[in-house]
Amino acid sequence: MELGMNQPSISFAPLQEPKQGVCLTFSEAKGGFSPVLKALDAQTKGLVTRAAGIAKFTGAKKTGFDLIAPGGLDIERLIVMGLGNVEKYSEVDWMALGGRIRARLAGARVVTADIFLEGNSPNAISGREAALLALGFLLRGYEFKKYKKKKKESDEDDSESSEIKSIHILSEQPEEAKAHFEALHAVGDGVMLARDLVNEPPNKLGPEEFAERARQLASYGLQVEVLDKARLEEIGMRALLAVGQGSERPSSVVVLKWNGARNPDAKPLALIGKGVVFDTGGISIKPAAGMEEMKGDMAGAAAVIGAMQALAERKAPANVIGFLGLTENMPSGTAQRPSDVVTSLSGQTIEVVNTDAEGRLVLADVMWFAQEQYQPVAMVTLATLTGAIIVALGKEHAGLFSNDDALAQNLTTAGLETGDKVWRLPLDAKYDKQINSKVADMKNIGGRDAGSITAAQFLQRFVKDGTPWAHLDIAGTAMASPQTDISQGWASGFGVMLLDRLVEKFYEDK
Ligand code: BES
Ligand code: MN
Ligand code: ZN
C-alpha cells in the first residue's frame, strides 16, 4: 500500500561517543548540557559553551543552535536542542519533540543523523520515551505529494521534503525503545493511512476505491467484508442509500473484523465511521467557496480503517469490529429531495428536511446494523458531522457525546494521553424535541441552536437500550487541520491514536 512518502529508517542503539557526521544533542533548562554534550564541550575547550552564550541559549524548549564543522572535532554538524523541563514531559511532548527534530533536520538538508538522547541523570529518558520521539519524527515527515509530478525548480519550495534517509537514536534503553517502537510504529502507519485517505481527491477515491483499500487490509489478518449496494438494499439500509442515490457511484458498507482476544467469541467493540467521499450538500447544495474541503468528509471512516490496521498490525489482544459507511452526496435527477421521507433500517422514519445533514442518515443505518448483527460491548461513532462543532470547540478538541460516563471518561483519558483531545458536550431529552417531525418519526435537522447536539440526539435514537455508545464529532480536528509539531496539516489522522489507545487501555485481555 502506498503511504504518503518513503519513510526513513529509524534504528535504536546504546549511547556512544559522537564521532562524525551530524550529531543531535540536548540541553535541559535546569540541568544544562547533557553528559555527551559536556564531553564535547570539554574536548573543544569550551566551544559549545561559547556558542551557546552567543546564541543566548538557555536550554529552553523549542530553542537551539547549530555548530557547523566545529573546530577540533570530526563532526560535520553539531545540533543542540533545548528540552526545557524534561520531568514535565507527557507522551505528547515526546512525540512533539520528535516532530521538531524532523523539521530541524529537514531544514538543514540532513541525510543521516545520530540523535544522542540522554538525560542529565541516569535513565532519565525511558525506552518508551525514545520510541515516542521516533513516532513523532515519522508523523511529522508525512507529506501527500503523490500528484505532484513536476520536480521543484527552486529553493522557494518551503515544504519540508528532505532527503533524510536514516536516523539512529542512541539512548540508555535501546532494547525497550525498539520493543515500544514496534507497537507505536503500527499506530503511526494507521495514522498515515488515515491521512492518505483524507487527502486523496474524491475523483480518485470514491466509495468503491475506498472499499478496495479496505480489502487490501486482509493482508494484516483482518477479515474484510464489503456489502455492496444490492446487498444494502436487501438489508434495508434505506437512509444510507438515500444519501448516495444522487451519485453515479454506488454506496457500500465495509465491515472489518479483528479477532485478537483470547476468547474469539467475546463480543466486540464496534467502531463506526462516516465515509462520505464528497459532500456537495446534495439538493440542499453547499456554497461554492470552501466546498473543496468536503473531500475530507470521510475522515471518520478513515480514522476507523486506520485504527483497525493499527490494531491488526500490532496484534492487539482484543475483539474490535470496524464499519465504514461509504457514499457520496451529490445533487442530480435521482438525488433525494428536501421533504423526502425515508425508512431507516431500524424501522424509524426520517423526514429529510435538509439533504446536507446526510452524515447522520449514513450513521443511523450502520449503527443499527452493527448492533443487530454483533451486539457490541460498546459502540463509538466518528464523523465530520457538523460545522457547528467547529464553532463550539474550534480545532483543538473533537466533540464527545455519550450515554455512558465510563466510556466518556475513557475516551477523554485516551485523548489526553495521545493528543487526540475530546471535550464532552451534553445529551438531553430537551434538545431531542428539536428533531421531532410533523410527518415522520423524526427530521434530520434541528434548527440553528445547538447543531452538534441535535445531530448527536439524532444518532442516539439509533442506539439500542443497554449499548454504551459514544459519538465523536471530528469535523474540526480531522480535516482542514492546522500544522502541529507532528503534522504538516490538513489531514491530521485524528482518531487513530485515540481509538488505538482506547482499545489498549480498556478493551484488551490483560
Ligand atoms: N460534512 C458536513 C459537516 C462539516 C462542516 C464538516 C464543515 C467539516 C467542516 C455535514 O454533512 C453538514 O453538511 N452538516 C451541516 C448540518 C446542517 C445542515 C444541519 C452543517 O454543519 O452545516
Ligand atoms: Mn453535509
Ligand atoms: Zn457531510
Side-chain angles (χ1 to χ4, degrees):
M1 175 166 312
E2 182 173 2
L3 285 175
M5 57 173 311
N6 303 324
Q7 288 294 349
S9 86
I10 299 181
S11 58
F12 298 92
L15 278 161
Q16 59 190 55
E17 244 181 80
K19 290 218 172 75
Q20 63 207 8
V22 176
C23 296
L24 199 150
T25 63
F26 300 98
S27 182
E28 292 177 34
K30 277 196 208 130
F33 292 168
S34 68
V36 86
L37 194 51
K38 273 186 195 131
L40 288 174
D41 195 38
Q43 268 181 58
T44 55
K45 302 193 171 62
L47 183 69
V48 185
T49 300
R50 185 156 176 260
I54 293 165
K56 299 197 166 55
F57 176 80
T58 59
K61 206 166 158 178
K62 302 191 185 181
T63 64
F65 64 94
D66 285 23
L67 288 171
I68 298 169
L73 300 173
D74 290 333
I75 291 170
E76 286 172 17
R77 182 191 286 265
L78 177 63
I79 302 176
V80 181
M81 288 179 73
L83 291 175
N85 189 353
V86 166
E87 284 102 73
K88 291 206 179 129
Y89 271 30
S90 64
E91 295 213 335
V92 174
D93 290 325
W94 285 107
M95 284 195 283
L97 175 64
R100 291 197 299 275
I101 290 172
R102 178 63 168 266
R104 192 68 182 264
L105 295 178
R109 304 262 172 247
V110 170
V111 176
T112 178
D114 292 338
I115 297 172
F116 295 83
L117 189 61
E118 194 188 19
N120 290 65
S121 52
N123 290 310
I125 299 174
S126 69
R128 173 149 186 101
E129 288 162 346
L132 286 160
L133 181 152
L135 174 61
F137 182 91
L138 276 184
L139 292 176
R140 174 57 174 260
Y142 173 88
E143 290 177 318
F144 188 75
K145 288 262 167 92
K146 80 189 256 204
Y147 300 111
K148 281 186 173 284
K149 299 293 186 200
K150 281 203 283 185
K151 291 258 174 306
K152 69 167 190 197
E153 276 144 24
S154 72
D155 295 337
E156 280 163 37
D157 185 341
D158 63 353
S159 82
E160 285 176 7
S161 35
S162 73
E163 297 299 302
I164 190 130
K165 293 274 186 309
S166 61
I167 56 164
H168 312 281
I169 299 178
L170 311 170
S171 71
E172 284 170 292
Q173 300 176 7
E175 292 309 318
E176 290 85 340
K178 239 178 259 178
H180 278 286
F181 188 55
E182 220 177 284
L184 290 173
H185 192 280
V187 182
D189 286 345
V191 172
M192 290 191 273
L193 170 60
R195 288 178 181 177
D196 266 353
L197 290 165
V198 172
N199 279 323
E200 199 67 55
N203 61 327
K204 307 284 182 186
L205 189 82
E208 280 175 307
E209 290 81 8
F210 200 136
E212 186 46 41
R213 298 288 289 261
R215 275 199 194 93
Q216 291 169 9
L217 296 197
S219 64
Y220 288 93
L222 285 160
Q223 294 171 46
V224 185
E225 194 186 349
V226 179
L227 309 172
D228 65 11
K229 187 178 161 209
R231 187 84 190 87
L232 299 183
E233 272 160 3
E234 272 170 38
I235 296 169
M237 294 207 210
R238 294 198 191 87
L240 183 150
L241 288 167
V243 172
Q245 75 186 37
S247 170
E248 298 274 337
R249 303 191 285 183
S251 305
S252 61
V253 169
V254 175
V255 184
L256 300 136
K257 275 183 232 165
W258 174 247
N259 262 342
R262 260 192 307 275
N263 174 5
D265 301 322
K267 296 293 181 213
L269 169 70
L271 309 175
I272 300 175
K274 169 182 174 183
V276 175
V277 295
F278 195 75
D279 180 12
T280 63
I283 296 298
S284 312
I285 198 162
K286 289 180 181 294
M291 197 199 279
E292 70 282 3
E293 305 229 307
M294 287 303 138
K295 74 169 185 176
D297 209 19
M298 29 55 70
V304 170
I305 193 176
M308 294 306 297
Q309 179 185 292
L311 295 172
E313 194 181 329
R314 70 173 181 81
K315 301 199 165 35
N319 291 346
V320 184
I321 179 160
F323 299 84
L324 318 175
L326 303 176
T327 189
E328 176 173 49
N329 191 17
M330 295 289 273
S332 78
T334 61
Q336 65 176 338
R337 295 147 289 254
S339 78
D340 276 3
V341 173
V342 295
T343 305
S344 68
L345 178 62
S346 74
Q348 300 177 88
T349 56
I350 304 162
E351 182 191 6
V352 180
V353 173
N354 187 320
T355 64
D356 198 11
E358 85 296 344
R360 61 200 76 182
L361 302 175
V362 173
L363 291 174
D365 275 351
V366 182
M367 290 164 74
W368 198 259
F369 179 74
Q371 292 167 98
E372 287 270 288
Q373 296 293 311
Y374 301 100
Q375 300 84 43
V377 289
M379 174 166 76
V380 182
T381 52
L382 293 98
T384 48
L385 203 61
T386 66
I389 202 67
I390 310 173
V391 178
L393 298 174
K395 292 175 176 274
E396 223 33 68
H397 290 86
L400 161 66
F401 302 84
S402 185
N403 63 1
D404 186 279
D405 290 343
L407 178 57
Q409 186 54 54
N410 292 347
L411 278 161
T412 303
T413 302
L416 286 172
E417 287 185 7
T418 56
D420 282 351
K421 292 181 290 180
V422 300
W423 196 264
R424 193 175 183 183
L425 292 165
L427 289 164
D428 191 306
K430 287 264 158 43
Y431 294 106
D432 198 64
K433 292 200 183 104
Q434 286 176 239
I435 54 169
N436 287 339
S437 159
K438 288 206 178 73
V439 299
D441 294 334
M442 69 195 86
K443 56 184 177 183
N444 74 332
I445 56 168
R448 232 179 68 88
D449 293 354
S452 304
I453 301 176
T454 52
Q457 293 291 158
F458 182 97
L459 298 183
Q460 193 177 23
R461 292 192 181 200
F462 299 87
V463 178
K464 292 188 170 191
D465 278 347
T467 306
W469 158 71
H471 162 60
L472 299 169
D473 194 334
I474 60 173
T477 50
M479 53 185 275
S481 317
Q483 187 179 334
T484 67
D485 284 331
I486 58 164
S487 167
Q488 295 186 40
W490 217 76
S492 62
F494 185 99
V496 175
M497 289 197 279
L498 174 69
L499 294 173
D500 176 79
R501 187 61 60 92
L502 178 78
V503 171
E504 185 189 337
K505 276 192 94 121
F506 305 106
Y507 292 94
E508 288 187 355
D509 291 338
K510 290 291 168 303

